[in-house]
Amino acid sequence: MHGNITNLSKANMYKISDYLAPCFRSAYPLGLPEEFEFVTVLRMNGSTVTKNWNFWLMQDLNGEEQLAVRLNGESLSLEFTFTTLNKTRETAVFPFLPFLFNSQWHSILLKVNKHSVTLFVDCIMVDSQNTPQRGIVNLDGYTLIGKLKDNPVLAVPFELQSMHIHCDVGRPRTCNDLSARTSVEEAELQRASGPVGPPGPAGVPGIDGVAGERGDDGEDGPAGPDGDAGKLGSAGLPGEPGADVSILFQIIHPLPSISCLSSLAPFLSSLMIV
């Protein structure tokens, strides 16, 4: 018998991450009876809740499955697989058990009779199914605990308080194991919690937040006071040359004789101004 089994003490609780009993004969020297009860108290950890894994698996020397108790976190079901007298493999499926797949402690009891299998979870009967008669399990094989269904080499971590196989299916059943586990766990938590300590130092300032959205435009403000007078502007560009007045005058008024020039002086002055 080998693997990784950590004893967490005080509560007789074990954390299982790998377990293999090399031979049936060492674990079950007289073999499995035709009728028996499989009883366990366990708690799944983390991602184990969502995995499809064999809690208890019995293989022959060729690695073929002979009997298994499987917790299928993908379909939230518990499955009991066995080999019939005709060497065929049958599976009794107990579907839709969401109350079982969490990180709480649970008790599981499978009552295996000659032609039926009945499931109890936390001391409450879930269902009973008729089954064909189960064949004899070959003792020359292996027993595995906590292995993935599709890859039995990989272990699945979980916590185990107890696991029993009872040959007397008519024995009285109690829930003392589950209640004891709960009370011990509460006591452990109470011992682990001490007085409240002083407040710690202030943390470092956080980083700036992202910029907010642009706000609405505000109302127009009152008119401001008059500004100061502006500076004197720069001189403008030179204008274009004026028209030739003498040519214009010749076109409109033919030049008079020389004797009349003196009398036309005021008139010419006015033309020059214009």
Side-chain angles (χ1 to χ4, degrees):
M1 187 176 298
H2 63 85
N4 183 9
I5 305 178
T6 303
N7 185 352
L8 301 185
S9 69
K10 295 185 179 179
N12 294 326
M13 184 265 288
Y14 299 88
K15 186 172 184 180
I16 312 294
S17 59
D18 188 9
Y19 177 88
L20 171 66
C23 180
F24 279 170
R25 296 184 187 278
S26 61
Y28 320 104
L30 300 179
L32 283 177
E34 188 176 49
E35 297 184 333
F36 63 91
E37 285 186 350
F38 171 83
V39 186
T40 185
V41 178
L42 60 87
R43 177 165 67 176
M44 289 178 268
N45 305 100
S47 62
T48 304
V49 174
T50 61
K51 295 186 183 300
N52 187 6
W53 60 290
N54 290 310
F55 175 80
W56 179 39
L57 174 63
M58 303 176 74
Q59 295 177 332
D60 61 18
L61 286 175
N62 296 322
E64 294 295 326
E65 185 177 284
Q66 298 189 88
L67 186 145
V69 176
R70 184 175 304 114
L71 293 169
N72 191 338
E74 298 173 358
S75 61
L76 302 181
S77 61
L78 186 144
E79 304 169 4
F80 176 69
T81 299
F82 60 97
T83 304
T84 67
L85 290 175
N86 298 326
K87 304 300 181 182
T88 61
R89 191 176 300 161
E90 296 285 339
T91 300
V93 179
F94 299 90
F96 194 65
L97 305 174
F99 49 85
L100 177 60
F101 291 87
N102 52 49
S103 59
Q104 303 300 316
W105 286 97
H106 294 287
S107 68
I108 297 174
L109 185 152
L110 275 174
K111 183 178 180 181
V112 181
N113 292 99
K114 188 174 181 179
H115 294 291
S116 67
V117 58
T118 304
L119 172 65
F120 295 80
V121 176
D122 296 338
C123 304
I124 300 174
M125 184 180 127
V126 175
D127 192 14
S128 183
Q129 299 186 21
N130 295 327
T131 60
Q133 188 172 352
R134 187 173 53 83
I136 298 175
V137 175
N138 188 342
L139 296 182
D140 295 321
Y142 304 96
T143 296
L144 297 89
I145 294 178
K147 298 288 187 176
L148 284 179
K149 176 184 180 297
D150 295 332
N151 190 355
V153 176
L154 296 180
V156 175
F158 68 99
E159 294 178 56
L160 177 66
Q161 178 186 352
S162 61
M163 172 181 163
H164 303 283
I165 297 174
H166 298 283
C167 299
D168 182 9
V169 295
R171 71 181 184 89
R173 290 182 295 273
T174 66
C175 282
N176 292 337
D177 288 343
L178 184 61
S179 60
R181 171 67 259 170
T182 304
S183 61
V184 169
E185 186 176 56
E186 291 175 351
E188 291 289 340
L189 289 176
Q190 291 177 359
R191 284 197 294 268
S193 58
V196 179
V204 297
I207 60 175
D208 294 338
V210 298
E213 297 181 357
R214 179 182 174 82
D216 298 332
D217 294 338
E219 298 180 355
D220 294 337
D226 294 337
D228 298 334
K231 296 181 180 179
L232 183 65
S234 58
L237 298 174
E240 297 180 359
D244 191 344
V245 178
S246 62
I247 297 175
L248 179 63
F249 183 80
Q250 290 179 12
I251 295 174
I252 299 175
H253 302 285
L255 289 175
S257 61
I258 296 175
S259 60
C260 295
L261 287 177
S262 59
S263 63
L264 291 175
F267 176 70
L268 292 176
S269 301
S270 63
L271 290 178
M272 294 297 290
I273 294 173
V274 176

